[in-house]
Amino acid sequence: MSRVIPNPEKAEARVLVVADEPNIVDIVSMALRYNDYDVVTANSGREALEAVAASKPDMIVLDVMMPELDGFEVAKRLGEQRSDIPILFLTARDTTDDKVRGLTIGGDDYMTKPFSVEELLARIGT
């Protein structure tokens, strides 16, 4: 897989981390901040769409299984808005069908939980 952020040298790249599990948000956010990323967080799909509009992230780390509006729907709506923000799905949904769906509706990469923080950072481009 290629890196999700095309230019990892970009100063202060902004990453939106979206998950309804606070521990996942904390772990991913802390690792990204340690690697000099500007991090914005959201706890739901609706918050994610609002955060995209407000913060203009350079990429999104997006959980799939969230109440109300799941990650697949978030990616679909962003695609309908012609958003070109790279999306890395980070989810417990690990079937081939889920992976294919995520990658075909606008995801640029797909990782399953449990995950390695080091691998996540490598995929993002640190």
Side-chain angles (χ1 to χ4, degrees), residues 7-25:
N7 183 2
E9 303 300 316
K10 181 179 178 185
E12 299 271 329
R14 179 170 293 139
V15 180
L16 172 59
V17 178
V18 185
D20 62 340
E21 298 173 72
N23 59 335
I24 297 294
V25 172

Side-chain angles (χ1 to χ4, degrees), residues 44-99:
S44 71
R46 292 194 194 290
E47 284 183 25
L49 293 173
E50 292 169 5
V52 166
S55 68
K56 309 284 191 253
D58 296 297
M59 76 156 299
I60 303 170
V61 176
L62 182 61
D63 192 2
V64 172
M65 297 188 310
M66 294 182 289
E68 294 182 31
L69 195 63
D70 72 16
F72 290 147
E73 184 62 26
V74 170
K76 180 181 171 195
R77 290 186 186 190
L78 289 173
E80 289 168 353
Q81 296 171 8
R82 300 198 185 278
S83 172
D84 61 351
I85 302 168
I87 297 172
L88 184 152
F89 284 107
L90 181 61
T91 180
R93 294 184 63 169
D94 62 355
T95 68
T96 299
D97 288 343
D98 287 329
K99 293 174 187 177

